[in-house]
Every structure is written in C-alpha cells, then in structure tokens.
Amino acid sequence: MMNAAKGKIPGPQGGIEIKKTICSICNPDSHCGVDAYVKDGKIIKVEGTRANPHSGGILCPKGAAQRQYVYNKDRLMYPMRRVGERGSGEFERISWEEAYEIIGERLKGYKDKDGAQSVCFFSGFAKWYRMGLMRLASAFGTPNYGTESSTCFRATQLCWKLVFGAGTQPDFENAGLLVLWSKNPAYSQFYQSRLIFDRLEQGMKMIVVDPRNTPMTEKADIHLKLRPGTDGALALSIAHVMIRDQLYDREFVEQYTWGFEEYKDYVREFTPQRGEALTGVPAELIVKAAHMYASVKPAAMMVSASPVVHHVNGVQNYRAVMMLIGLTGNFDIKGGNVVTPYGYCYSSSFVKTNERTFEGERYDGIKGIGEEEFPVWFRLIRDEVQAVRIPDYVLKREPYGLNAIVGFGLNHRMWPDSNYMLEALKKVGFFVNTELFMTPTCRYADLLLPACSSMERREIKVYNENYLICSEAAIEPLGESRNDMEIILELAKVLGLDDEMLGMTYDECMDFLLRPAGVSLEELKKHREGMYAPVICPHEEQAYKKKGFRTPSGKMEFFSQVLSDYKGREGYDPLPVYRTPYEVYPHLSPAEYPLILSSGCRKPQLVHTRCYRMPWLTGLEDTSLADIHPEDAGGLGLAQGDEIRISTPKGSLEAHANITRAGQKGVVFLYHGDPQRDPNELMDKDYLDPISGFPGYKSFVCRVEKKGEESYE
Ligand SMILES: Nc1nc2c(c(=O)[nH]1)N[C@H]1C(S)=C(S)[C@@H](COP(=O)(O)OP(=O)(O)OC[C@H]3O[C@@H](n4cnc5c(=O)[nH]c(N)nc54)[C@H](O)[C@@H]3O)O[C@H]1N2
Ligand SMILES: Nc1nc2c(c(=O)[nH]1)N[C@H]1C(S)=C(S)[C@@H](COP(=O)(O)OP(=O)(O)OC[C@H]3O[C@@H](n4cnc5c(=O)[nH]c(N)nc54)[C@H](O)[C@@H]3O)O[C@H]1N2
Ligand code: SF4
Ligand SMILES: [Mo]
C-alpha cells in the first residue's frame, strides 16, 4: 500500500484517485486538461489529460507547478473585513453571511444616494464567470461593468468590427503561408505553436513580424524585425508593393471593399524605402514579404490580441495590418482568415451556447465609464466600459463619481500608472475584491471574498476543437473559499435582484448554458474527460457574398464610415493613417528619454501578476532582468547583470541588465506584473490610444542608467 502511494499509482490500494479537471492559470483558449492525483483530499501530483484533444496530455511549466498555485501560502481562506488602514493588510475573519450583509447594505446605500452608476463591477483576467458578473451589473442597474479586456482583446475586436464587421481566425491548417503578426504562441499559447510547427514540417511557409527573436522567428522564412509600434507603417508599405506590382486581389477589392481609391492614394507615399526608414525593416525584405504574402495562396494571418494595440497608434496600426487580408483576397476562404462565430467564454468554436443570452444586454441607461472620451468603443463594443478610466471617475468625480468597486480578481497593476489606480482604491467609498490570493491590491480592500481555483470547482469549457468538458472539482474548496459564479448568484440575492437567470443554482446555470450544444449537464458529467459537442453550427463560407459585411457600407472598409462620423477628433482618421507615438503625444522628448520601453512581451513561465509567488517558476529565470541590446549597453558601459535604473517621465525602477540581441537596439524589454518592478508604475495614465483608450505599454519612452551613475534630478 505504501509503495502504491509512494509511486503515485492510482487505485484503491494506494488510496489515490484521478480527477479530470482543467488548469486555468493562463488564458481560456488554453486551459489544458489536467489529471489531478488526489489522496486524502489533497492533490499530490498533476499530469496532462491525454484524451483531451486540445492540450493532448501536455502541461506547460505553470500547469505542472499547479500545486504551488493551489496550495499557496497567500491563498485567501475566509471572508475578511479590513480593520487597519487601507494598505496595512490588517483584516479580521468574518462569516460569509456578515460579508454579504455588509456588501448588500453598502451597495444599496450608494445606489439610493447617488444612483446605481456610482457602483462599478470589474473582472480581472479570469473569464469563466463573466456572463454572471455582467448580468449582475445590469440587473443592479449600472452600465459600469468593465474587465481586463480594456487592455487586452477589445481593441482588436473593435478593429475587426471597423474593417470587416466581424472577427476571423487564421485557418493555418489549410494555409500555404502563415503570416504571424506580433504573436509568439510558443510562449503565450503553446498548443497553437505545436500545430504551427507541424504545419511547417509539412511545407507551410511563415512570415513573422516581431521586434524580437522568438522560437517562432527562428522557424520563419522571413522575419520582419520592425521597431515596436511601427506596424501601421510596415503594413502600408507592404500594401504599397502589392498595389504597385499589381499583386492584390482585384476582384475582391472591386466588388467587396469600400474606399479603396482613397486608401491607394494614401498608401502611395509608403514606398519600401520609406517603410524601411519608419520601421527599420530593410526595403528589400518588405518587397519580398509583400510578394510572398500576395502570391502564396491561401494565406492566413494570425495577429495577437495585444501587442499591436498596446501602442498609442494601435487601432490605426491594427487596421492597416488587417486590411492586408482583404487586399490579398484571403478573407473568409479555406486556408485564409475564416469568419468564426464567437464560441464560449472568449474562445472561438462552432459550438453555440446560451452565454450571450445569459449575460444579456449591458445596462446603458446612463453613459458608462469612458463613454464621452471613447465613443467608438461604446458604439461597437456594447458589452463593457473602458475600464482604464475607473480611477479618474473615483478621483476626479467627473462626469460623475464612482463610490464603490466590486472586483473579481481586480489587480491595480493592470492599469497604466498603477499607483494612480492604487490612489483611487485608497479613496473610493467601498472596495470589495474576490480573489484567490492576498495580493498587494487586496490590502486596500474593505472586504475580501475568497475564490477557489479551477482545481476546486466544476466548470464548463468549450474548446475550439468543438470539444466540451465539465471539469471535476479535484478537491473541496480550500478553507471557506467558493467559486466565483456561486458568489455572484448569492450576491444577486443579497442585493434583492429579481432576475430569472441569477435566480438559478450554479448547476442550473451550467445546464442552461450548454443547451444549444445539444447536451445536458448530467450527460456531459458522465464523460469525465469531455466529449465532442453533439450540435455544431455549420460554417457558411463567404457569407458576405450574400449578406454583405456588417459595416455601414456593407463592405470591407479601407475607409471607415464609423470613424469618419467622428471627424475632427484627433486620431480618428477614416484611413489607417500612420503616426508615430511622438506625433500622437508630442510632449514626449526622445532627447531626454532616448530609449523605448516595451513591457509585457510574454514569458513562458509567467502570467501577469499570477506566477511570481510560485518558486518553481520564478526559479527558472531571474525575474529582475530587463533586456538591453549590446550596442545600447556598450554606450551605457553596462555589463551582463549590472544593476540599472529605468526611468520614464512618470518614475523609475531598478532592474538588472540582460544584454541580448533577442530584442533590438534602442528598446528595453521588461515583463510586467512583478510587485518588485512594475513597469506600469512608470506609465502615464493618459498615454492612451485615442480611439480604444488602450495604454501604450509597448512603446513608452525611457532612459537607462547604471545604478550609482544616475543623473541628478
Ligand atoms: N505593461 C504591461 N501591462 C499589461 C500587459 C502588457 O503586455 N504589458 N498586458 C495586459 C493584458 S493583455 C492583460 S490581459 C492584463 C491582465 O491583467 P490582470 O487581469 O490584472 O491579470 P492577472 O494578474 O492574471 O489577474 C488578476 C487577478 O486575478 C486573480 N484570479 C485568478 N483566477 C481567478 C479566479 O478564478 N477568480 C477570481 N476572482 N480571481 C482570480 C489572480 O489571482 C490575480 O490577482 O494585463 C495588461 N497589462
Ligand atoms: N505564458 C503566458 N502566456 C500568456 C500570457 C502570459 O502572461 N504568459 N498572457 C495571455 C494574454 S492576456 C495575452 S493578451 C496573450 C498575448 O499573446 P502574444 O501576443 O503572443 O504575446 P506577447 O509576447 O505579448 O506578444 C507577441 C509577440 O509580439 C511582439 N511584439 C511586441 N511589440 C510589438 C509590436 O509593436 N509590433 C509587433 N508586430 N510585435 C510586437 C513580441 O516581441 C512578442 O514576441 O498571451 C496570453 N498567454
Ligand atoms: S498555464 Fe500551461 S498548463 Fe495551464 S492552461 Fe496555460 S498552457 Fe495549459
Ligand atoms: Mo491579454
């Protein structure tokens, strides 16, 4: 018996049971299948679930370190009420009933006094409960439901809506060429990189557009190593070559696009030579890439949710990039960029669920946070507000004040000028956070509710293979922690909201969500490792030929009619006009701050703020390293590992120099989320893209000095 347990061999003999669950340490389109070995109610080991077609039995280092996530000393175990100063971290344990009572009283009080809009509901990176949270906010009567997508997926979604009226997925399984524009799935979505590497072995070509060397650029036929934030100029230059050399898809352009003549005129000035001057990519490589993209058919383009739009010219750049899909005639064809229906919970699939019905319409009786400033966002993104402005509504109380923030995984380091957000959390009337861990942000909360991890809850998951699973809770929730969705349903009761969806039990919710997929919750539970969805909505290829595009012109728009409605607003050009960050924000002086600070390029072992408390992961690479190019390091007299100070107009932090050619000259790269050195403390809160409100995380200005040799200020 001892031996069976020691060897972690499942079976009654050693008392070890395998639970079929999922990892949710990173993004929902990953969420690998996990076999959790459980003995005496404790997880003693994890392995990948081989039968899961999405992850194929593999776990990344983060998933393999799962136990350090679940059994972390920082886990919140009980509801707690703050007793010390905000930030002091002094809390006392209270019961769930007491916690709910306080929340109910405070939120209802603010609603009566200043209106429901003075209460804001917010979700951090976790997504699985969001349909409930959005509904809760709407039922409460506030338009102010916001999420981390205010710095992530929504800007690209906005661009897709502006240009094509719909989003697409790259069908690289059938493509002759993959244009990987600003994405590094080897680190950020490893299941995808596996598939891409397989396709490369089968002969698919690949162009990668990335300012860094990555495992993807190493396999590329062409690597366009552009300067950060110059994507628009590069795309316009590629378009110039395609039009000049008559390589574009005339039929598609003539029949299905709007504003091509204006676009063509604008693109005329973006010769490859000008492209080289603006982007740093050699002119001949621009020509070569344009020829390859226009001639290899079909070709798919994969663009990430974030790096292109993490610039103050991000929306226009992203539009310029995606227009190449139309120009090359690869829109909605097999092996190109296929219009894919929204699947479940931020993943695309052909499985229909009731998620949208569940979340309902966002309440919009009164303008939401950021609505005056970012009108196009609110016109096209109906579901949520632009949350980067939350602190302004708290601190300036204009156009109205926020009194209360109900956070689920709210982490102030997501915000540009994260200390400004912290200031808002100090001042706001009431702040409750539902969290797994006692984070630095939690220390400022009035009330903390303990959430459980994916190992401790059942959850429905829909993979893009059209595969479903209802994960098992491997263990009981630790302490008194509960699952977020249950907390939301309980909050609805406490707030006295009479809502048919929020009145369901958690199991009833899951059953309702699954219904259109043709399977009941009970049935799905029987398939412990998951199953293919019985009902799939078939894809109608090139539906635009019959139905048109969901844009004002009914066509793909090179010239945006939506943006032209806002003429006169800075940056809202109907054409994908290229401007450098310094043109958008002329007060930034490259003389004083000669380097670019690019923060947040993904690392395989870290996810935002989540993994810094996991020693197996922080032990893989020193987290204090900032990447500096040898030529910049030479000019600064830096040696590998030297202590440095990175300064921006907003502040400074200390790091160690990692001298590497992986990045590029003139740019310092640093990961984000580290409480010891948070680059977002160095960002200006107003350094935002004027259309999306996205922070310029990947091209702020900075200066680097060797520690001890800093200039006097
Ligand atoms: N400088 C810079 N900043 C960036 C970025 C960048 O590239 N550079 N990237 C941006 C992007 S793309 C994103 S998506 C954001 C992410 O920003 P955040 O959403 O802030 O990211 P996380 O730190 O992953 O998650 C926030 C909190 O959620 C908690 N949490 C985890 N799981 C659950 C759960 O199931 N329930 C609850 N209630 N809480 C949970 C975690 O413990 C964590 O404290 O950061 C943005 N910030
Ligand atoms: N391990 C891990 N995985 C993650 C996350 C994580 O934190 N850790 N976060 C998840 C989230 S929230 C997101 S949004 C995704 C992001 O997923 P990805 O976009 O794949 O990740 P990044 O590394 O931010 O960016 C991809 C590549 O874009 C390049 N890049 C940086 N700036 C620019 C630019 O200006 N132009 C161009 N063309 N390329 C640029 C970077 O060098 C990088 O190699 O990852 C998800 N997966
Ligand atoms: S953290 Fe790793 S194991 Fe977990 S879901 Fe993401 S890729 Fe999979
Ligand atoms: Mo993201």
PDB file of all heavy atoms in Angstrom, residues 60-78:
ATOM      1  N   CYS A  60       2.252  22.910 -19.494  1.00  0.00           N
ATOM      2  CA  CYS A  60       3.425  23.782 -19.540  1.00  0.00           C
ATOM      3  C   CYS A  60       4.003  23.862 -18.120  1.00  0.00           C
ATOM      4  O   CYS A  60       3.405  23.339 -17.178  1.00  0.00           O
ATOM      5  CB  CYS A  60       3.025  25.145 -20.081  1.00  0.00           C
ATOM      6  SG  CYS A  60       2.311  26.222 -18.838  1.00  0.00           S
ATOM      7  N   PRO A  61       5.124  24.543 -17.951  1.00  0.00           N
ATOM      8  CA  PRO A  61       5.704  24.606 -16.592  1.00  0.00           C
ATOM      9  C   PRO A  61       4.747  25.176 -15.554  1.00  0.00           C
ATOM     10  O   PRO A  61       4.764  24.753 -14.398  1.00  0.00           O
ATOM     11  CB  PRO A  61       6.912  25.535 -16.771  1.00  0.00           C
ATOM     12  CG  PRO A  61       7.195  25.585 -18.220  1.00  0.00           C
ATOM     13  CD  PRO A  61       5.944  25.208 -18.952  1.00  0.00           C
ATOM     14  N   LYS A  62       3.903  26.104 -15.965  1.00  0.00           N
ATOM     15  CA  LYS A  62       2.979  26.721 -14.998  1.00  0.00           C
ATOM     16  C   LYS A  62       1.944  25.691 -14.535  1.00  0.00           C
ATOM     17  O   LYS A  62       1.653  25.572 -13.350  1.00  0.00           O
ATOM     18  CB  LYS A  62       2.261  27.923 -15.643  1.00  0.00           C
ATOM     19  CG  LYS A  62       3.208  28.952 -16.233  1.00  0.00           C
ATOM     20  CD  LYS A  62       2.489  30.097 -16.908  1.00  0.00           C
ATOM     21  CE  LYS A  62       1.768  29.749 -18.197  1.00  0.00           C
ATOM     22  NZ  LYS A  62       2.604  29.410 -19.360  1.00  0.00           N
ATOM     23  N   GLY A  63       1.422  24.954 -15.508  1.00  0.00           N
ATOM     24  CA  GLY A  63       0.434  23.933 -15.162  1.00  0.00           C
ATOM     25  C   GLY A  63       1.062  22.837 -14.319  1.00  0.00           C
ATOM     26  O   GLY A  63       0.437  22.313 -13.380  1.00  0.00           O
ATOM     27  N   ALA A  64       2.314  22.503 -14.621  1.00  0.00           N
ATOM     28  CA  ALA A  64       2.996  21.459 -13.863  1.00  0.00           C
ATOM     29  C   ALA A  64       3.255  21.909 -12.426  1.00  0.00           C
ATOM     30  O   ALA A  64       3.373  21.086 -11.520  1.00  0.00           O
ATOM     31  CB  ALA A  64       4.309  21.088 -14.558  1.00  0.00           C
ATOM     32  N   ALA A  65       3.340  23.230 -12.242  1.00  0.00           N
ATOM     33  CA  ALA A  65       3.562  23.768 -10.888  1.00  0.00           C
ATOM     34  C   ALA A  65       2.234  24.066 -10.176  1.00  0.00           C
ATOM     35  O   ALA A  65       2.208  24.787  -9.176  1.00  0.00           O
ATOM     36  CB  ALA A  65       4.409  25.037 -10.969  1.00  0.00           C
ATOM     37  N   GLN A  66       1.161  23.507 -10.691  1.00  0.00           N
ATOM     38  CA  GLN A  66      -0.199  23.759 -10.199  1.00  0.00           C
ATOM     39  C   GLN A  66      -0.321  23.733  -8.674  1.00  0.00           C
ATOM     40  O   GLN A  66      -1.027  24.541  -8.073  1.00  0.00           O
ATOM     41  CB  GLN A  66      -1.098  22.651 -10.764  1.00  0.00           C
ATOM     42  CG  GLN A  66      -2.560  22.855 -10.655  1.00  0.00           C
ATOM     43  CD  GLN A  66      -3.065  23.850 -11.667  1.00  0.00           C
ATOM     44  OE1 GLN A  66      -3.645  24.842 -11.284  1.00  0.00           O
ATOM     45  NE2 GLN A  66      -2.835  23.598 -12.942  1.00  0.00           N
ATOM     46  N   ARG A  67       0.339  22.797  -8.055  1.00  0.00           N
ATOM     47  CA  ARG A  67       0.185  22.649  -6.594  1.00  0.00           C
ATOM     48  C   ARG A  67       0.706  23.885  -5.874  1.00  0.00           C
ATOM     49  O   ARG A  67       0.221  24.247  -4.811  1.00  0.00           O
ATOM     50  CB  ARG A  67       0.883  21.370  -6.106  1.00  0.00           C
ATOM     51  CG  ARG A  67       0.201  20.101  -6.649  1.00  0.00           C
ATOM     52  CD  ARG A  67       0.955  18.846  -6.325  1.00  0.00           C
ATOM     53  NE  ARG A  67       0.944  18.563  -4.902  1.00  0.00           N
ATOM     54  CZ  ARG A  67       2.015  18.566  -4.128  1.00  0.00           C
ATOM     55  NH1 ARG A  67       3.206  18.819  -4.641  1.00  0.00           N
ATOM     56  NH2 ARG A  67       1.933  18.293  -2.861  1.00  0.00           N
ATOM     57  N   GLN A  68       1.709  24.553  -6.473  1.00  0.00           N
ATOM     58  CA  GLN A  68       2.212  25.772  -5.835  1.00  0.00           C
ATOM     59  C   GLN A  68       1.223  26.931  -6.001  1.00  0.00           C
ATOM     60  O   GLN A  68       1.312  27.943  -5.310  1.00  0.00           O
ATOM     61  CB  GLN A  68       3.569  26.164  -6.423  1.00  0.00           C
ATOM     62  CG  GLN A  68       4.640  25.167  -6.067  1.00  0.00           C
ATOM     63  CD  GLN A  68       6.021  25.594  -6.526  1.00  0.00           C
ATOM     64  OE1 GLN A  68       6.187  26.578  -7.227  1.00  0.00           O
ATOM     65  NE2 GLN A  68       7.019  24.808  -6.141  1.00  0.00           N
ATOM     66  N   TYR A  69       0.327  26.792  -6.942  1.00  0.00           N
ATOM     67  CA  TYR A  69      -0.726  27.794  -7.148  1.00  0.00           C
ATOM     68  C   TYR A  69      -1.859  27.534  -6.153  1.00  0.00           C
ATOM     69  O   TYR A  69      -2.266  28.413  -5.408  1.00  0.00           O
ATOM     70  CB  TYR A  69      -1.221  27.662  -8.591  1.00  0.00           C
ATOM     71  CG  TYR A  69      -2.111  28.769  -9.111  1.00  0.00           C
ATOM     72  CD1 TYR A  69      -1.585  30.023  -9.429  1.00  0.00           C
ATOM     73  CD2 TYR A  69      -3.466  28.554  -9.340  1.00  0.00           C
ATOM     74  CE1 TYR A  69      -2.390  31.034  -9.945  1.00  0.00           C
ATOM     75  CE2 TYR A  69      -4.279  29.553  -9.859  1.00  0.00           C
ATOM     76  CZ  TYR A  69      -3.730  30.789 -10.158  1.00  0.00           C
ATOM     77  OH  TYR A  69      -4.543  31.781 -10.677  1.00  0.00           O
ATOM     78  N   VAL A  70      -2.301  26.285  -6.130  1.00  0.00           N
ATOM     79  CA  VAL A  70      -3.460  25.929  -5.300  1.00  0.00           C
ATOM     80  C   VAL A  70      -3.129  26.020  -3.809  1.00  0.00           C
ATOM     81  O   VAL A  70      -3.876  26.602  -3.031  1.00  0.00           O
ATOM     82  CB  VAL A  70      -3.945  24.504  -5.650  1.00  0.00           C
ATOM     83  CG1 VAL A  70      -5.081  24.065  -4.730  1.00  0.00           C
ATOM     84  CG2 VAL A  70      -4.397  24.437  -7.107  1.00  0.00           C
ATOM     85  N   TYR A  71      -1.986  25.435  -3.451  1.00  0.00           N
ATOM     86  CA  TYR A  71      -1.645  25.385  -2.010  1.00  0.00           C
ATOM     87  C   TYR A  71      -0.681  26.505  -1.637  1.00  0.00           C
ATOM     88  O   TYR A  71       0.269  26.305  -0.898  1.00  0.00           O
ATOM     89  CB  TYR A  71      -1.022  24.027  -1.663  1.00  0.00           C
ATOM     90  CG  TYR A  71      -1.989  22.880  -1.877  1.00  0.00           C
ATOM     91  CD1 TYR A  71      -1.730  21.903  -2.840  1.00  0.00           C
ATOM     92  CD2 TYR A  71      -3.149  22.773  -1.122  1.00  0.00           C
ATOM     93  CE1 TYR A  71      -2.616  20.850  -3.039  1.00  0.00           C
ATOM     94  CE2 TYR A  71      -4.034  21.728  -1.308  1.00  0.00           C
ATOM     95  CZ  TYR A  71      -3.772  20.773  -2.273  1.00  0.00           C
ATOM     96  OH  TYR A  71      -4.647  19.743  -2.470  1.00  0.00           O
ATOM     97  N   ASN A  72      -0.920  27.673  -2.200  1.00  0.00           N
ATOM     98  CA  ASN A  72      -0.005  28.778  -1.935  1.00  0.00           C
ATOM     99  C   ASN A  72      -0.295  29.411  -0.580  1.00  0.00           C
ATOM    100  O   ASN A  72      -1.463  29.536  -0.188  1.00  0.00           O
ATOM    101  CB  ASN A  72      -0.166  29.819  -3.053  1.00  0.00           C
ATOM    102  CG  ASN A  72       0.993  30.772  -3.099  1.00  0.00           C
ATOM    103  OD1 ASN A  72       1.080  31.686  -2.291  1.00  0.00           O
ATOM    104  ND2 ASN A  72       1.907  30.528  -4.013  1.00  0.00           N
ATOM    105  N   LYS A  73       0.753  29.838   0.084  1.00  0.00           N
ATOM    106  CA  LYS A  73       0.557  30.425   1.425  1.00  0.00           C
ATOM    107  C   LYS A  73      -0.267  31.718   1.357  1.00  0.00           C
ATOM    108  O   LYS A  73      -0.845  32.152   2.352  1.00  0.00           O
ATOM    109  CB  LYS A  73       1.907  30.676   2.113  1.00  0.00           C
ATOM    110  CG  LYS A  73       2.762  31.699   1.401  1.00  0.00           C
ATOM    111  CD  LYS A  73       3.974  32.105   2.231  1.00  0.00           C
ATOM    112  CE  LYS A  73       4.902  33.055   1.511  1.00  0.00           C
ATOM    113  NZ  LYS A  73       4.339  34.032   0.595  1.00  0.00           N
ATOM    114  N   ASP A  74      -0.330  32.346   0.182  1.00  0.00           N
ATOM    115  CA  ASP A  74      -1.101  33.590   0.051  1.00  0.00           C
ATOM    116  C   ASP A  74      -2.596  33.364  -0.169  1.00  0.00           C
ATOM    117  O   ASP A  74      -3.350  34.332  -0.281  1.00  0.00           O
ATOM    118  CB  ASP A  74      -0.597  34.417  -1.146  1.00  0.00           C
ATOM    119  CG  ASP A  74       0.798  34.962  -0.932  1.00  0.00           C
ATOM    120  OD1 ASP A  74       1.258  34.974   0.219  1.00  0.00           O
ATOM    121  OD2 ASP A  74       1.432  35.390  -1.924  1.00  0.00           O
ATOM    122  N   ARG A  75      -3.015  32.094  -0.274  1.00  0.00           N
ATOM    123  CA  ARG A  75      -4.436  31.860  -0.581  1.00  0.00           C
ATOM    124  C   ARG A  75      -5.345  32.505   0.476  1.00  0.00           C
ATOM    125  O   ARG A  75      -5.101  32.393   1.679  1.00  0.00           O
ATOM    126  CB  ARG A  75      -4.741  30.343  -0.622  1.00  0.00           C
ATOM    127  CG  ARG A  75      -4.420  29.649  -1.932  1.00  0.00           C
ATOM    128  CD  ARG A  75      -5.292  30.049  -3.088  1.00  0.00           C
ATOM    129  NE  ARG A  75      -6.704  29.760  -2.920  1.00  0.00           N
ATOM    130  CZ  ARG A  75      -7.300  28.627  -3.242  1.00  0.00           C
ATOM    131  NH1 ARG A  75      -6.589  27.647  -3.785  1.00  0.00           N
ATOM    132  NH2 ARG A  75      -8.590  28.452  -3.078  1.00  0.00           N
ATOM    133  N   LEU A  76      -6.402  33.131  -0.003  1.00  0.00           N
ATOM    134  CA  LEU A  76      -7.422  33.649   0.917  1.00  0.00           C
ATOM    135  C   LEU A  76      -8.315  32.490   1.312  1.00  0.00           C
ATOM    136  O   LEU A  76      -8.803  31.766   0.453  1.00  0.00           O
ATOM    137  CB  LEU A  76      -8.276  34.708   0.220  1.00  0.00           C
ATOM    138  CG  LEU A  76      -7.630  36.037  -0.142  1.00  0.00           C
ATOM    139  CD1 LEU A  76      -8.624  36.903  -0.910  1.00  0.00           C
ATOM    140  CD2 LEU A  76      -7.167  36.768   1.113  1.00  0.00           C
ATOM    141  N   MET A  77      -8.537  32.319   2.578  1.00  0.00           N
ATOM    142  CA  MET A  77      -9.305  31.163   3.054  1.00  0.00           C
ATOM    143  C   MET A  77     -10.696  31.527   3.545  1.00  0.00           C
ATOM    144  O   MET A  77     -11.596  30.699   3.534  1.00  0.00           O
ATOM    145  CB  MET A  77      -8.563  30.487   4.204  1.00  0.00           C
ATOM    146  CG  MET A  77      -7.254  29.869   3.792  1.00  0.00           C
ATOM    147  SD  MET A  77      -7.538  28.512   2.634  1.00  0.00           S
ATOM    148  CE  MET A  77      -5.926  27.808   2.560  1.00  0.00           C
ATOM    149  N   TYR A  78     -10.854  32.758   4.010  1.00  0.00           N
ATOM    150  CA  TYR A  78     -12.132  33.152   4.619  1.00  0.00           C
ATOM    151  C   TYR A  78     -12.504  34.549   4.142  1.00  0.00           C
ATOM    152  O   TYR A  78     -11.623  35.328   3.782  1.00  0.00           O
ATOM    153  CB  TYR A  78     -11.997  33.200   6.163  1.00  0.00           C
ATOM    154  CG  TYR A  78     -11.290  32.009   6.723  1.00  0.00           C
ATOM    155  CD1 TYR A  78      -9.956  32.075   7.097  1.00  0.00           C
ATOM    156  CD2 TYR A  78     -11.977  30.798   6.854  1.00  0.00           C
ATOM    157  CE1 TYR A  78      -9.300  30.953   7.590  1.00  0.00           C
ATOM    158  CE2 TYR A  78     -11.325  29.676   7.348  1.00  0.00           C
ATOM    159  CZ  TYR A  78      -9.988  29.775   7.714  1.00  0.00           C
ATOM    160  OH  TYR A  78      -9.343  28.669   8.193  1.00  0.00           O
TER     161      TYR A  78
END
